[in-house]
């Protein structure tokens, strides 16, 4: 019976003292501070709790045993060493649990923050792109209104297709290559109004890549760049070759066009900058983009993305 009473006292006092210690920790915010700044208070708290715990247990033990030969110091010293181990173990477990939980919550918050920032950045980039190519398309249609009304009506239909696909693209981080190609073909049909025989377009598309995801409006942006900085500067116009293949477990899209890079296009312009930004946001360092003079007459822009 005495053993049961003593065990019950150990259990009840342990709960009361550990909860009291926890209340002090929370009250002074020790768990929210660097451990080195609260280490002294931490160990002082363990010492005080162990002292109080062992004193109360010693009193209970002396009363329950009625052992006249046993001294208070004998009970207290034995109990104190045990309670120091117990309270130290409890405090270490408590702090470790808190730090692990806080670390996990911090990682979750960081991931949510990064996802939010990435979404906002993507929306900002796409909001810059849409007016850019719409403006060029409207210029092409304007030239037809008087001289060829029928073709102008067809061009308006093509522009509406671009706008419809663009609005849908704004809702997703990626679209299929097939969907992007439909926008590009409508865009090139509009540009053909301006350039007529000066613009020739060829496609080299692996059918197996049509369902692969790419950033929305990326291909259209690169084609527009090829026309603006390449074809439009050539008196006789030129050719654009759009290719899509899979090499070494990467989806490789290339746009080859007549022209030459006569300025530093690698870091300038909304179109090229947005291409790099979106690739970085979506694929980190697993994707790449480069543009360079292929020879003395052609420019090559190449995008490589991992297969998802």
């Amino acid at each position: 019976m005495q053993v049961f009473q003593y065990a019950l006292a150990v259990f009840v006092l342990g709960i009361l003292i550990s909860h009291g210690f926890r209340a002090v920790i929370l009250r002074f915010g020790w768990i929210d501070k660097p451990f080195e700044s609260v280490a002294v208070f931490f160990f002082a708290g363990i010492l005080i709790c162990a002292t109080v715990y062992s004193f109360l247990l010693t009193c209970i033990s002396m009363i329950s045993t009625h052992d006249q030969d046993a001294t208070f110091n004998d009970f207290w010293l034995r109990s104190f060493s045990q309670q120091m181990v117990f309270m130290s173990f409890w405090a270490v477990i408590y702090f470790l649990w808190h730090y692990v939980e806080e670390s996990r919550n911090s990682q979750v918050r960081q991931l949510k923050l990064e996802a939010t920032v990435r979404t906002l950045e993507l929306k900002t980039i796409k909001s810059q792109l849409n007016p850019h190519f719409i403006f060029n398309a409207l210029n092409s249609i304007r030239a037809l209104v008087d001289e060829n009304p029928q073709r102008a009506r067809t061009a308006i239909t093509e522009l509406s297709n671009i706008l419809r696909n663009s609005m849908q693209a704004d809702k997703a981080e990626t679209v299929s290559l097939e969907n992007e190609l439909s926008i590009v073909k409508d865009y090139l049909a509009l540009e053909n109004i301006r350039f007529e025989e000066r613009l020739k377009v060829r496609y080299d598309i692996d059918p197996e890549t049509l369902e692969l995801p790419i950033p929305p409006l990326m291909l259209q942006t690169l084609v527009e760049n090829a026309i603006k900085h390449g074809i439009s500067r050539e008196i006789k116009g030129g050719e654009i070759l759009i290719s899509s293949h899979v090499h070494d477990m990467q989806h490789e899209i290339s746009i080859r066009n007549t022209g030459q890079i006569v300025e530093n296009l690698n870091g300038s312009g909304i179109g090229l900058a947005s291409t790099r930004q979106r690739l970085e946001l979506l694929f980190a360092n697993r994707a790449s983009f480069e543009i360079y003079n292929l020879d003395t007459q052609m420019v090559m822009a190449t995008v490589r993305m991992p297969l998802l």
Side-chain angles (χ1 to χ4, degrees):
M1 190 64 179
Q2 293 178 352
V3 173
F4 174 77
Q5 292 175 343
Y6 183 78
L8 181 62
V10 170
F11 178 76
V12 173
L13 288 176
I15 291 178
L16 293 176
I17 292 177
S18 61
H19 275 64
F21 191 21
R22 175 177 176 273
V24 172
I25 292 173
L26 295 176
R27 171 66 178 80
F28 293 100
W30 292 354
I31 55 177
D32 298 323
K33 300 176 182 178
F35 180 77
E36 57 271 16
S37 66
V38 297
V40 174
F41 302 104
F42 173 72
F43 290 113
I46 292 176
L47 181 63
I48 293 172
C49 289
T51 300
V52 173
Y53 199 175
S54 58
F55 175 80
L56 294 176
L57 285 180
T58 299
C59 292
I60 294 173
S61 180
M62 292 289 292
I63 295 172
S64 61
T65 58
H66 303 290
D67 187 354
Q68 301 300 322
D69 296 328
T71 64
F72 182 88
N73 287 338
D74 292 335
F75 278 108
W76 187 85
L77 288 175
R78 184 170 63 250
S79 178
F80 179 76
S81 60
Q82 293 174 349
Q83 304 319 316
M84 276 293 294
V85 173
F86 169 77
M87 291 304 303
S88 298
F89 181 76
W90 176 89
V92 168
I93 293 296
Y94 178 77
F95 270 79
L96 282 178
W97 176 84
H98 170 77
Y99 283 126
V100 169
E101 184 69 12
E102 181 62 25
S103 176
R104 187 185 70 83
N105 292 336
S106 177
Q107 290 177 352
V108 171
R109 289 193 297 268
Q110 183 65 26
L111 289 174
K112 289 181 178 179
L113 177 61
E114 291 175 356
T116 301
V117 170
R118 187 177 72 170
T119 300
L120 290 174
E121 289 179 348
L122 286 171
K123 289 182 177 180
T124 300
I125 293 168
K126 286 188 283 188
S127 68
Q128 293 173 334
L129 290 175
N130 289 343
H132 194 228
F133 79 83
I134 292 172
F135 176 77
N136 288 328
L138 288 174
N139 277 339
S140 297
I141 295 173
R142 182 180 60 182
L144 287 176
V145 171
D146 293 327
E147 63 185 59
N148 192 342
Q150 178 60 40
R151 183 64 185 94
R153 285 192 290 270
T154 302
I156 292 172
T157 300
E158 292 166 346
L159 178 57
S160 69
N161 291 336
I162 294 175
L163 293 175
R164 185 185 307 108
N165 288 324
S166 175
M167 291 175 65
Q168 294 173 351
D170 282 341
K171 300 176 182 178
E173 291 186 355
T174 60
V175 296
S176 68
L177 174 63
E178 184 175 21
N179 182 275
E180 183 78 356
L181 276 173
S182 68
I183 298 177
V184 169
K185 290 177 179 178
D186 283 332
Y187 172 77
L188 288 172
L190 290 172
E191 290 291 11
N192 190 254
I193 298 171
R194 283 199 301 154
F195 293 97
E196 298 179 341
E197 298 300 322
R198 294 175 58 217
L199 175 60
K200 297 180 178 63
V201 181
R202 293 194 296 122
Y203 297 92
D204 179 20
I205 307 296
D206 183 345
E208 294 184 357
T209 66
L210 290 175
E211 296 303 318
L212 294 179
I214 66 172
L217 302 180
M218 182 190 72
L219 181 59
Q220 189 277 333
T221 301
L222 295 178
V223 170
E224 182 181 342
N225 182 76
I227 292 178
K228 180 179 179 181
H229 297 283
I231 307 299
S232 65
R233 296 183 177 183
E234 300 291 326
I235 296 176
K236 296 182 179 180
E239 179 184 80
I240 294 178
L241 172 61
I242 302 173
S243 301
S244 174
H245 297 276
V246 173
H247 298 294
D248 300 326
M249 298 301 294
Q250 285 193 315
H251 183 195
E252 182 178 299
I253 297 176
S254 63
I255 294 89
R256 190 173 66 184
N257 65 275
T258 304
Q260 286 287 281
I261 299 176
V262 294
E263 57 191 41
N264 182 21
L265 292 177
N266 282 315
S268 63
I270 293 176
L272 298 183
S274 70
T275 297
R276 286 194 169 85
Q277 289 172 343
R278 284 185 290 168
L279 289 173
E280 173 65 24
L281 288 169
L282 291 172
F283 305 109
N285 59 359
R286 297 180 297 151
S288 64
F289 169 66
E290 55 183 345
I291 181 170
Y292 54 91
N293 289 326
L294 186 63
D295 52 36
T296 58
Q297 295 182 331
M298 304 294 290
V299 174
M300 175 77 83
T302 304
V303 176
R304 296 182 180 88
M305 296 166 288
L307 296 178
L308 298 179

